[in-house]
Amino acid sequence: MFFILSKTISYLLMPATLIGIAWLAFYIFKKWRFRKYLAILGFTFFIIFTNDFLANSFLKAWQTEPANLKSIKSQKFTYGVLLTGMTNTLKEPKDRVYFNQNADRILQAIMLHQQGVFDTLYISGGGATALRKDLQESKVLYNYLESIQFPMEKVIIEDQSRNTVESARFATDFIGNQEQILLITSASHTPRAMGCFEKEGFKVQPYPTVYHTNDELISPSMFLPSYEALMKWHILFKEWMGYSAYWVAGYL
């Protein structure tokens, strides 16, 4: 129930949805005396959520800063824990892997393993595909690693979890929580992921990846309507709502 409810609410409260609801309500409630405020609200949402300066600033403040690579390399981890959420498992044909913008997760994980930072790559994530066992993402990534001749004796997969809290719980059964792990996920997702794994007793060293923000100085283009800004707000809202829901449910 928590899984279904959290997914439903998150879609309803996304920036693009809020803009659409406000403008749709403006056209539906034609006789409402305060109807004009719905149009103003929709326009305000549009201005805010397509402003790249605001989106970039808020997302930078939320996401975890890049790890110190020199410090990471000086340590030795038994497990590098890679969280899924980087492929399109619904795309045909199935003879290849279709990566999305989160592919930086696995690219960084491969690099860290090749440089000897951790011994075993633990991939966690079955995805929200309970009716399609063949679409579990950890299995897809396992096949991809096998195709590029990654040392498969150094790979463990967990293919049942549907969200981050389940990933943390299943990890206690697969690898235990007695050693410090290197947690590899997106920078915006790192605060929630760290909270879940620490709740299960893990000692966590984060390795954030997938940065959608930039470090450029302010430019005029950042104040023009931008779909990139809408995407950044979408990511931020998803993490804000996810973190809040996990906190209320006691998962953090």
Side-chain angles (χ1 to χ4, degrees), residues 64-70 72-73 77 81-82 104-105 107-109 111-112 115 117-118 181-187 190 194 204-211:
T64 304
E65 290 295 312
N68 185 305
L69 190 56
K70 183 177 181 180
I72 292 293
K73 289 181 178 179
F77 302 88
V81 176
L82 173 64
D104 188 43
R105 295 186 187 186
L107 294 176
Q108 295 290 335
M111 180 272 291
L112 291 168
Q115 295 189 8
V117 176
F118 61 85
I181 61 171
L182 183 66
L183 183 60
I184 306 166
T185 188
S186 301
T190 297
M194 281 190 65
V204 181
Q205 169 61 57
Y207 190 86
T209 65
V210 194
Y211 286 88

Side-chain angles (χ1 to χ4, degrees), residues 83-89 99-100 123 125-127 129 133-143 158-159:
L83 300 186
T84 56
M86 65 196 83
T87 69
N88 179 0
T89 55
F99 286 101
N100 60 30
I123 306 175
T129 54
K133 300 300 183 182
D134 59 315
L135 299 182
Q136 291 161 320
E137 191 175 358
S138 58
K139 291 182 178 179
V140 173
L141 293 175
Y142 183 92
N143 293 335
E158 175 279 299
D159 59 9

Side-chain angles (χ1 to χ4, degrees), residues 5-23 41-42 45-46 48-50 188 192 229-243 245:
L5 185 62
S6 62
K7 292 292 184 182
T8 302
I9 294 176
S10 67
Y11 282 118
L12 290 176
L13 297 181
M14 284 299 159
T17 308
L18 293 175
I19 295 171
I21 289 175
W23 282 345
L41 181 63
F45 282 157
F46 176 80
I48 293 175
F49 295 139
T50 60
S188 59
R192 179 157 53 117
L230 196 61
M231 180 194 71
K232 291 174 184 178
W233 280 114
H234 180 95
I235 293 169
L236 191 54
F237 269 50
K238 178 183 176 182
E239 289 305 320
W240 278 349
M241 288 185 286
Y243 193 95

